[in-house]
Amino acid sequence: MKNFTVEEINLMCCFNTSSRKRLIDDMKSVTLNDVDGEIAELMYKTVRKLESMSDAEFEELYIMPDGMVDD
């Protein structure tokens, strides 16, 4: 399973996470010229990780914004 950073998890939370395919499609639909360079790079890296994992691995992920996770 791919290790996602806190930033990548938080970014994924901005999109539909109901399935790996939906998440990838939603993230790819963003025009990278419309976002900051760092965000564009983060989106690119996150999509690459998502594309390299299976649907079963995706289903095991716990995707929740960092600020909402209890310590």
Side-chain angles (χ1 to χ4, degrees):
M1 181 182 303
K2 302 293 176 200
N3 292 323
F4 289 94
T5 65
V6 170
E7 292 81 10
E8 290 167 336
I9 295 289
N10 285 340
L11 177 64
M12 286 189 273
C13 290
C14 297
F15 298 91
N16 184 334
T17 60
S18 61
S19 74
R20 186 178 67 91
K21 181 182 180 339
R22 173 62 63 114
L23 178 55
I24 291 169
D25 289 346
D26 283 358
M27 291 181 80
K28 283 184 168 183
S29 72
V30 174
T31 305
L32 296 182
N33 293 334
D34 293 342
V35 295
D36 175 82
E38 289 182 31
I39 298 297
E41 183 178 345
L42 182 64
M43 288 182 71
Y44 176 79
K45 289 179 179 180
T46 304
V47 167
R48 294 290 307 253
K49 286 182 182 181
L50 289 165
E51 289 176 332
S52 69
M53 69 189 318
S54 69
D55 289 332
E57 289 173 316
F58 179 79
E59 292 299 322
E60 292 177 14
L61 290 178
Y62 184 69
I63 302 174
M64 179 175 283
D66 182 47
M68 297 184 72
V69 177
D70 291 333
D71 291 331

